[in-house]
Amino acid sequence: MPAAFTLPAAGGLLLLVGAVAAVIHPPVAVVVTSCAVVCGAVCLVTPPAGCAAIAVLGWWTATAFSAAPYGELRLGGTASVRGLVSCVGAAVAATGIGILVRRRNAATRRTLDDVDDRRRSGFGGAVPPARVALAIGVAAIALPGLTAALAADRQHLSLTDDLLFFLSLVVAIAVIGGFWPAVVAAVASSLLVNWYFTPPLHTFTIGEPDNLIALLLFVVVAISVSSVVHLA
């Protein structure tokens, strides 16, 4: 399946895992395993380029909801390491299996109908390479510029304001260059917001559960909106 469908689906499933974990407080192993299962299942049917983002989202979710206090991103702990190994391992294994299965199917079934189906399912052909390059250039310039502007006016803006500014920029990049530049911009935006606007500042640790949930929702919504814009 195209990543424009599977990435939003993976984000939604992982958020559901986190929400359930925050309510019922299961053991760490259950949360880590659930995130790994989601990553592996979705990566089986996702193009390899999208599996890295899924693995990162799975790792964040496993780290944040494996142990109390729930909803905090505390990198470097035991739960974080277990989540990283499990989610990345599941994603890599599923990606490898998916590639082998697709190659086998392609080798044993080559008909004109299959070729037409693959051509119709492609999502990159509608966006010229020049527009993709332009979108990447816009992201490389606009993301640091927006970060600097928001950081300079930090005392007058909330995290919600910052996320909405970044979301608007991600959507604009999707309009210019399609899905993949927007995914890169969404991930980069989440890291910039994490580093510069969520306490403790200048670390990738998030100390307040509400901020982590807002950041995860931002990534899922940004990717989902970019998918809709790209398909349109």
Side-chain angles (χ1 to χ4, degrees):
M1 295 180 65
F5 293 127
T6 55
L7 280 178
L13 289 172
L14 289 169
L15 282 176
L16 179 61
V17 170
V20 172
V23 173
I24 66 176
H25 311 311
V28 172
V30 173
V31 180
V32 171
T33 302
S34 299
C35 292
V37 168
V38 171
C39 291
V42 178
C43 286
L44 276 175
V45 295
T46 299
C51 292
I54 293 172
V56 171
L57 286 175
W59 170 43
W60 285 2
T61 305
T63 301
F65 295 100
S66 290
Y70 296 95
E72 293 185 4
L73 190 63
R74 293 165 293 158
L75 304 179
T78 302
S80 179
V81 173
R82 292 173 64 178
L84 177 64
V85 173
S86 300
C87 292
V88 172
V92 170
T95 301
I97 294 172
I99 291 174
L100 291 176
V101 171
R102 286 190 287 271
R103 286 183 177 177
R104 180 180 178 183
N105 290 340
T108 58
R109 187 184 62 186
R110 293 184 181 277
T111 67
L112 291 178
D113 288 340
D114 296 332
V115 173
D116 289 341
D117 288 341
R118 284 195 293 271
R119 289 178 60 189
R120 284 193 295 268
S121 66
F123 284 79
V127 181
R131 282 179 53 185
V132 174
L134 176 61
I136 294 174
V138 170
I141 296 173
L143 285 175
L146 179 60
T147 302
L150 294 176
D153 200 27
R154 190 194 313 275
Q155 59 182 351
H156 298 106
L157 296 172
S158 66
L159 180 62
T160 302
D161 299 324
D162 298 328
L163 291 175
L164 288 174
F165 276 112
F166 278 101
L167 179 61
S168 301
L169 180 56
V170 171
V171 173
I173 291 170
V175 172
I176 297 172
F179 182 68
W180 287 114
V183 170
V184 173
V187 174
S189 296
S190 68
L191 295 175
L192 288 170
V193 172
N194 190 349
W195 187 266
Y196 288 101
F197 301 104
T198 59
L201 300 180
H202 308 308
T203 70
F204 287 115
T205 297
I206 299 176
E208 298 180 13
D210 291 346
N211 290 342
L212 174 61
I213 294 172
L215 199 58
L216 288 173
L217 283 173
F218 164 78
V219 175
V220 174
V221 170
I223 292 176
S224 301
V225 172
S226 300
S227 172
V228 173
V229 171
H230 180 84
L231 294 173

